[in-house]
Amino acid sequence: MRITQQMLTSNMTTQMNRNLSNLEKANQEVSTGKRINKPSDDPMGTEKSLKLSSQLARNEQFERNTDYAMSWMDMTERTLSSVSNVFQRANELGVQASSGTNSQDELDTMAKEFKQLREELEGLANTKLDGKYIFNGQKTDQPITIEANGELTYDNGSMKQRISPFSEVKLNVSADEVFDNDVNLFKALDRFSQALTTGNSEEMNAALGEVQKGSDQILTSWTGMGARQSRVESMNQRLKDENISVQSFLSKNEDVDLAEAIMKLKSEESVYQATLASSAKIIQPSLLDFLR
């Protein structure tokens, strides 16, 4: 078979293109640090990477959900702690006032402190996080309405957050659980303040019982929140650990051994340079080159 100059040129061009393609692929692996840069590099590996990436994205969203839930619950927990402190102080004053050893001036001073405690409680009832009222159920854009007589207007709906594909958690403690359950906390403080002003010892004892029931009511709400908070924190840590594992699997599936990739790149460069050199020797000038 007769070997023509055109055949030599065509074969050399094909070989150079193949080697250049190999060089480009090796360079891309070193540049990106990944062995899979397009589906054709490894169809099965690409499918596995897509599944892992999808799982990672889903887990990261749930992790963000749990982070938000933890922030909301942390604020609620701190506020409930402050509410509990208010009633702890009210109980201390109530016990002191009920001893029967105080003058009316002293009782009047205590009554003023009860009014201050009520004002503090009003502020706590309308605590906000990120511009949202944490105790007003689903109407987080509206404050709880607190009348002068202690009557409350609020929403007792539940706010829920999905923390896994199969579970969700209640974020909030609504006003009816804390401030207006068996005991209306505002009315309890008002009742004691009024009893102090009138010096009515029987009414003081009755009001003290309301204050103590209110303290138990706050503690019950606080305990329930703590149990949910522990669950969310546990899920958050689980998601973080799972994400680390998924990222590790994804890295093993996609990433290259950098040292090996650099060696491969150098090898492909040498092959390509050798191809260029041999092509220059094999493809001799044609007759047309001499006729120019």
Side-chain angles (χ1 to χ4, degrees), residues 83-84 86-95 98 114 121 149-151 177-195 201-219:
V83 172
S84 179
V86 167
F87 263 69
Q88 182 178 346
R89 178 55 181 163
N91 186 65
E92 292 172 357
L93 288 172
V95 171
S98 300
F114 263 92
L121 190 64
N149 63 359
E151 290 292 333
E177 297 177 65
V178 186
F179 304 101
D180 194 26
N181 199 332
D182 294 334
V183 176
N184 179 306
L185 302 188
F186 295 94
K187 290 182 178 181
L189 294 179
D190 288 343
R191 183 180 184 183
F192 214 122
S193 179
Q194 182 63 29
S201 58
E202 290 184 4
E203 184 64 14
M204 286 183 206
N205 289 327
L208 178 58
E210 290 289 291
V211 168
Q212 291 172 340
K213 287 181 182 179
S215 296
D216 292 339
Q217 180 174 293
I218 297 165
L219 182 59

Side-chain angles (χ1 to χ4, degrees), residues 64-219:
R64 287 191 291 272
N65 288 356
T66 56
D67 285 337
Y68 181 79
M70 287 167 61
S71 296
W72 188 281
M73 289 178 165
D74 285 345
M75 175 60 77
T76 304
E77 193 273 337
R78 288 196 295 271
T79 306
L80 288 175
S81 175
S82 297
V83 172
S84 179
N85 290 338
V86 167
F87 263 69
Q88 182 178 346
R89 178 55 181 163
N91 186 65
E92 292 172 357
L93 288 172
V95 171
Q96 181 180 347
S98 300
S99 66
T101 61
N102 302 282
S103 67
Q104 188 56 48
D105 287 341
E106 291 173 329
L107 294 179
D108 289 341
T109 300
M110 292 180 190
K112 291 178 181 178
E113 185 169 353
F114 263 92
K115 290 178 180 179
Q116 292 173 354
L117 291 175
R118 188 191 196 279
E119 290 179 4
E120 183 178 352
L121 190 64
E122 286 186 16
L124 292 171
N126 280 317
T127 298
K128 292 196 290 185
L129 173 66
D130 193 26
K132 299 177 180 179
Y133 294 93
I134 65 174
F135 290 117
N136 200 23
Q138 296 180 354
K139 295 182 179 180
T140 57
D141 60 331
Q142 302 173 21
I144 296 171
T145 302
I146 305 169
E147 304 292 346
N149 63 359
E151 290 292 333
L152 306 178
T153 302
Y154 51 83
D155 179 71
N156 60 3
S158 296
M159 288 183 59
K160 295 183 178 180
Q161 182 77 284
R162 185 159 292 280
I163 59 174
S164 80
F166 313 105
S167 63
E168 58 184 16
V169 66
K170 180 184 175 184
L171 291 182
N172 67 318
V173 175
S174 57
D176 63 325
E177 297 177 65
V178 186
F179 304 101
D180 194 26
N181 199 332
D182 294 334
V183 176
N184 179 306
L185 302 188
F186 295 94
K187 290 182 178 181
L189 294 179
D190 288 343
R191 183 180 184 183
F192 214 122
S193 179
Q194 182 63 29
L196 289 168
T197 301
T198 60
N200 188 327
S201 58
E202 290 184 4
E203 184 64 14
M204 286 183 206
N205 289 327
L208 178 58
E210 290 289 291
V211 168
Q212 291 172 340
K213 287 181 182 179
S215 296
D216 292 339
Q217 180 174 293
I218 297 165
L219 182 59

Side-chain angles (χ1 to χ4, degrees), residues 33-35 49 52 245-256:
K34 298 189 178 297
R35 68 179 188 85
S49 288
L52 289 171
S245 297
V246 173
Q247 288 169 345
S248 177
F249 287 138
L250 188 60
S251 176
K252 289 178 181 178
N253 186 59
E254 292 184 346
D255 294 352
V256 296

